[in-house]
Amino acid sequence: MRSFDEAPFLVIWEVTQACDLACLHCRASAIACRNPLELATTEGFRLLEEIRTFGDPLMVFTGGDPLKRPDLFDLLRHSVSLGLRTTVTPSATPLLTAEAIQGFRDCGVARMAVSLDGPDAASHDGFRRVDGSFERTIFALEHARRVGLPTQINTTVTRHNFGRLEEIATLAARWDARLWSVFFLVVTGRAMRSDDLTPEEYEDVFRFLYELSKTAPFDIKTTEAQHYRRYVAQRRKAEGGAAVRSTAGDVIQRQAGINDGKGFVFVSHTGEIYPSGFLPLAAGNVRRDSIVEIYRNSALFRSLRNSDNLLGKCGDCEYRNLCGGSRSRAYALTGNYLESDPNCVYQPRLATVA
């Protein structure tokens, strides 16, 4: 299993928290106006240059809505020119025009990710709380396909769409998404505990995703559901491993061991360095600290990368290096980022997959 002690697999920069949507689950509790303390263009250039010294991590520009920054395309071009694999996650608002999508492609962006949280306007717009967001999302997927820009679809699983995931997956296939990235709720920002699924329902979603992975024309990955890797490992073992065709095993192999602060680092709009956007514990700030030094040597990041520090059943679990549980969810629900993930049903060395 790959070591992430020296460099992350994924770097996410929240270039702004400004956004014209008002999503029910928003991690950033985004508002319409930009913060005057956001990293400036020159600071962003320096950040990207230092990130490149990690090697070749995947570089994600997120928000808020990155299109709220007038210098976004300058930042994207600089990232691509440095040799970083660069992706962007715009919000589905009137700012996401045909010209913007063409601009992403012309900049050399490798992939555009858009959110789809319901299979129709009523469900999606009700979640995003802005009419027209669903229509804009479908437009963006259609136009990206027309101009040859690869796409991925991000979906946050909540009580609102739990029963409609199959319909969303059908749309992902229809619009030729390369990846369906399925986020599981962390109770931070505007997210409410009542919107989350039960641990047993998590397993139901895992079962659906695993079966879908055998036939889907796109890859599937989960965010803040590290225990999906445990589920996949159990199922593949029960079904004969590589003898069973499934993209899940390949994706899990690429993501094996990645967790908050372990293969993953998040930079906020004002430069704070976090293990994850869902784990609000800063280890430093890029305005005064080296992101490379913080990632490699800060006490917080080193603690998160040592699975011997895990408590409760996560600490006892034989899958702790493959999975490790969501450190963000543990912190959100227990106050201790090293505690067990409360939304995992697995009992170490006891349970079997039905």
Side-chain angles (χ1 to χ4, degrees), residues 11-309:
V11 180
I12 296 186
W13 177 20
E14 172 197 69
V15 294
T16 183
Q17 281 193 343
C19 181
D20 294 325
L21 300 179
C23 306
L24 291 173
H25 72 301
C26 183
R27 166 201 59 78
S29 297
I31 59 175
C33 299
R34 293 177 58 200
N35 188 326
L37 299 179
E38 286 174 4
L39 295 181
T41 306
T42 54
E43 292 175 309
F45 284 176
R46 287 196 298 270
L47 172 62
L48 293 167
E49 289 157 11
E50 186 170 18
I51 289 169
R52 186 65 175 92
T53 67
F54 276 128
D56 186 28
L58 180 62
M59 183 69 220
V60 178
F61 288 74
T62 190
D65 179 9
L67 284 167
K68 295 285 278 187
R69 284 191 66 132
D71 62 352
L72 174 63
F73 291 95
D74 294 330
L75 294 167
L76 291 172
R77 279 189 289 269
H78 193 63
S79 180
V80 171
S81 74
L82 292 169
L84 290 166
R85 296 171 296 154
T86 303
T87 68
V88 64
T89 61
S91 297
T93 76
L95 294 176
L96 187 56
T97 62
E99 291 76 17
I101 295 167
Q102 182 67 51
F104 295 149
R105 189 185 186 287
D106 292 345
C107 282
V109 165
R111 184 178 293 177
M112 177 185 73
V114 293
S115 293
L116 187 62
D117 295 297
D120 52 35
S123 57
H124 177 86
D125 292 358
F127 188 74
R128 296 279 161 180
R129 297 201 294 182
V130 172
D131 291 343
S133 178
F134 178 81
E135 182 179 359
R136 182 66 56 168
T137 298
I138 297 303
F139 159 77
L141 290 166
E142 181 179 24
H143 192 73
R145 182 169 66 181
R146 184 178 301 124
V147 302
L149 175 65
T151 58
Q152 77 177 54
I153 287 176
N154 297 342
T155 300
T156 300
V157 180
T158 68
R159 184 81 33 216
H160 302 273
N161 60 9
F162 174 46
R164 308 196 70 181
L165 297 178
E166 186 171 0
E167 297 170 83
I168 297 172
T170 298
L171 290 179
R174 180 181 303 169
W175 296 108
D176 298 330
R178 301 284 182 88
L179 175 71
W180 189 23
S181 186
V182 183
F183 288 68
F184 287 73
L185 203 66
V186 174
V187 183
T188 188
R190 284 198 286 260
M192 303 291 291
R193 186 72 175 97
S194 58
D195 292 331
D196 204 0
L197 308 184
T198 67
E200 292 75 19
E201 288 168 335
Y202 271 52
E203 296 291 304
D204 291 340
V205 177
F206 293 168
R207 186 176 299 111
F208 166 71
L209 294 178
Y210 180 74
E211 293 300 333
L212 178 64
S213 75
K214 297 177 181 179
T215 59
F218 45 78
D219 287 339
I220 299 169
K221 72 175 288 290
T222 60
T223 295
E224 297 303 340
Q226 287 84 347
H227 41 319
Y228 178 57
R229 302 172 200 156
R230 177 267 302 164
Y231 182 90
V232 169
Q234 290 177 284
R235 286 294 300 269
R236 285 174 67 83
K237 181 178 180 181
E239 295 175 359
V244 179
R245 181 189 177 276
S246 171
T247 62
D250 297 333
V251 174
I252 294 303
Q253 185 173 0
R254 292 197 296 271
Q255 301 289 322
I258 295 176
N259 208 319
D260 303 334
K262 183 181 181 183
F264 192 103
V265 61
F266 180 96
V267 180
S268 81
H269 61 301
T270 54
E272 289 90 0
I273 304 168
Y274 294 112
S276 163
F278 299 101
L279 181 54
L281 297 174
N285 189 294
V286 299
R287 285 182 162 131
R288 63 174 183 271
D289 303 304
S290 160
I291 189 174
V292 174
E293 179 66 21
I294 291 294
Y295 177 84
R296 291 176 178 171
N297 297 313
S298 71
L300 175 61
F301 278 77
R302 288 172 66 90
S303 174
L304 285 162
R305 288 198 294 270
N306 185 353
S307 63
D308 291 341
N309 291 332

